[in-house]
Amino acid sequence: MTGRYFDLFDDVYVPGRWHLDEPVDQRGHKLGRLFMRGEPAHVEGPLRIALYVPGKPLDFSLTDADIPIVCARVAAVFEALAPNDVQLIPVEVEGESEPYVLLNITRVVKCIDDEASSSVRYVTPEHGLPDQLGEYRSVIGMRIDPSKVGEAQVFRTWGWVTIVVSEAIKEALERLGATGTKFTSVTGPSTITPEERARDRKSRELLETAASARETAWRTLGSLDKEVFMPIAMSEAWPGQRQLWSVIRREAGRTLLVTHGLSDPFIDSLEPSVGFGLELALEVDASVKDISKGWPLLLLDRVAEEVAAHEHVREGVKAGLFSMEVAGKGLPKALVTSEGRVAVLLGLESRTLPGHFSTPYGEVRLVTVKALLPSELAHVLEHGAQGQAELARRFADSGEEHLSRPKRRAVV
């Protein structure tokens, strides 16, 4: 059977909407990956879904692990039209008395049309993901071959995390007025021109080369954690217009977070470059499990925003030690000043981190980010560059030159 098919995804632009966390069992174990395999799953007892961001409930939502959570009306549509393609598992959503259902899609179809899609990239040995070799690393402007779908009404595409539904399901959900759903056609001729395809191919090659070189550098610093999933955020302020992060597990249980894109080539010019010529690194003395909710990423994100948005900040960072302040909301109280700000000192030399690393496009500076205590900020504000240098010397003497720890004694 052939027909029209659509990528079904979460409408993240619904005003004031909720965002759901990963499903957990009665013992609190996260089960998200269990429902991404495209096969029936055995679970015991009711599953629970916490609110990652509280807000307006939706009829269709994807958790942060891309698992569909749907209301009873939406579940009924899939039960009626795709009984052989889904497993319906009741879940309890935090704060909701209405029933919700986890939609476990149990069918996987190998049907992505590489030639008709705008751009595809594969996982290679250089990416360090042996379990995913041959699968897709990126798919842009996806098109599928309907002749390979068979009787499936809803399925996951092989090698790429996406959900595809038939036109019949799309129309049924639209008649229902299901909130949170968004559809993009994945059948029919490609809408991209040959010129656009060539430009996209070149931009992807530039960005992939830069990313691979950074990953090689990250692996020299520790164990690159490929299990951590942090979605790509689009940001026009970053050179490649994508905001990425990497997590490196270090000795003694330390966690190193690094920006992974400030040295991307400038995508507008489509020429090889190291972008802003730097990446930021923040290390903490803890094995941070939930990176997306921890204060280290929140702080590094705010610092990166300032670096990406302001040339004078970048120039200051490149010149040597540079201090700055960012909003303190959500950060440890020990770091927050009476004005509600948190200060950092950038560019401290480290005995365990290199100051630079090489890429095919040039040298990139690795800039350390250290959180300051309020009294240390006061010292910098009073003494300027001399105060920064004095802090650097004292941090080095303490043996924690670049390490960020809210629970410590001030060095001044």
Side-chain angles (χ1 to χ4, degrees):
M1 184 180 79
T2 61
R4 297 178 65 201
Y5 294 87
F6 299 83
D7 184 358
L8 170 59
F9 54 99
D10 202 347
D11 188 353
V12 298
Y13 295 108
V14 174
R17 56 155 293 166
W18 68 7
H19 291 270
L20 302 181
D21 210 338
E22 196 170 342
V24 299
D25 62 17
Q26 291 177 304
R27 293 172 292 180
H29 295 159
K30 292 187 175 183
L31 302 177
R33 295 184 180 277
L34 180 65
F35 306 110
M36 297 178 68
R37 300 172 182 171
E39 59 187 34
H42 174 71
V43 295
E44 295 182 359
L47 301 183
R48 300 191 305 276
I49 306 284
L51 297 181
Y52 184 65
V53 177
K56 176 183 177 181
L58 298 177
D59 298 329
F60 176 91
S61 306
L62 293 178
T63 72
D64 63 347
D66 280 338
I67 309 302
I69 305 299
V70 302
C71 69
R73 296 184 306 139
V74 170
V77 169
F78 284 94
E79 186 176 29
L81 298 181
N84 298 320
D85 305 329
V86 296
Q87 177 187 13
L88 305 178
I89 302 173
V91 294
E92 299 173 357
V93 178
E94 178 185 351
E96 290 297 314
S97 58
E98 296 297 319
Y100 278 83
V101 175
L102 185 152
L103 191 68
N104 183 27
I105 299 167
T106 58
R107 193 185 291 261
V108 177
V109 180
K110 192 172 185 178
C111 60
I112 294 178
D113 189 330
D114 290 5
E115 294 301 319
S117 300
S118 300
S119 173
V120 299
R121 290 287 183 273
Y122 294 96
V123 176
T124 64
E126 291 75 21
H127 294 133
L129 301 168
D131 294 339
Q132 299 177 33
L133 280 179
E135 297 183 8
Y136 293 97
R137 185 169 174 83
S138 70
V139 179
I140 308 298
M142 185 178 74
R143 288 291 185 271
I144 68 167
D145 182 349
S147 67
K148 298 180 179 179
V149 172
E151 298 298 322
Q153 294 294 306
V154 56
F155 56 90
R156 291 189 181 274
T157 51
W158 179 91
W160 185 243
V161 181
T162 193
I163 299 169
V164 175
V165 298
S166 66
E167 187 172 20
I169 288 183
K170 172 181 179 289
E171 291 178 346
L173 293 176
E174 289 176 335
R175 286 194 300 270
L176 194 66
T179 58
T181 58
K182 199 165 185 178
F183 303 91
T184 298
S185 176
V186 292
T187 49
S190 174
T191 59
I192 192 170
T193 66
E195 293 77 16
E196 291 171 328
R197 188 184 300 275
R199 178 180 175 83
D200 183 74
R201 183 180 297 113
K202 184 174 182 179
S203 69
R204 293 293 158 185
E205 290 173 351
L206 286 170
L207 294 176
E208 287 289 340
T209 298
S212 294
R214 287 194 299 268
E215 287 190 5
T216 298
W218 302 153
R219 290 192 180 94
T220 67
L221 306 179
S223 176
L224 186 59
D225 194 336
K226 304 301 290 187
E227 296 298 316
V228 174
F229 175 73
M230 286 185 284
I232 298 174
M234 306 309 294
S235 173
E236 293 185 0
W238 288 47
Q241 297 183 0
R242 58 181 190 173
Q243 190 172 345
L244 301 166
W245 312 91
S246 286
V247 179
I248 304 165
R249 303 300 180 179
R250 304 253 287 165
E251 293 181 354
R254 293 184 176 186
T255 302
L256 178 67
L257 285 77
V258 290
T259 56
H260 188 58
L262 292 174
S263 62
D264 271 341
F266 291 107
I267 204 64
D268 290 337
S269 64
L270 284 184
E271 295 294 335
S273 77
V274 292
F276 294 144
L278 57 83
E279 297 289 350
L280 304 177
L282 186 149
E283 187 167 14
V284 294
D285 64 343
S287 179
V288 183
K289 294 183 179 179
D290 197 342
I291 297 292
S292 63
K293 296 181 181 179
W295 70 265
L297 180 61
L298 185 60
L299 176 58
L300 188 59
D301 181 32
R302 290 174 184 171
V303 174
E305 284 182 4
E306 295 296 318
V307 170
H310 303 292
E311 184 177 3
H312 77 275
V313 174
R314 296 193 296 273
E315 293 304 314
V317 170
K318 292 177 181 179
L321 293 175
F322 186 84
S323 58
M324 59 183 290
E325 298 175 53
V326 297
K329 184 178 180 181
L331 297 176
K333 292 181 179 179
L335 300 176
V336 182
T337 67
S338 58
E339 291 79 20
R341 310 284 288 174
V342 169
V344 293
L345 185 58
L346 284 71
L348 288 164
E349 292 185 5
S350 170
R351 287 169 289 184
T352 62
L353 296 177
H356 298 80
F357 62 89
S358 298
T359 77
Y361 304 145
E363 289 288 303
V364 176
R365 185 179 178 195
L366 185 61
V367 179
T368 58
V369 178
K370 185 177 180 75
L372 299 181
L373 299 177
S375 60
E376 294 165 346
L377 170 62
H379 186 77
V380 170
L381 294 177
E382 181 179 356
H383 299 285
Q386 289 183 345
Q388 293 175 347
E390 179 63 23
L391 285 182
R393 286 192 295 270
R394 297 192 181 191
F395 289 143
D397 291 341
S398 73
E400 297 184 356
E401 60 269 20
H402 72 279
L403 189 69
S404 287
R405 278 200 308 127
K407 295 181 180 180
R408 62 177 177 83
R409 291 180 181 273
V411 297
V412 291

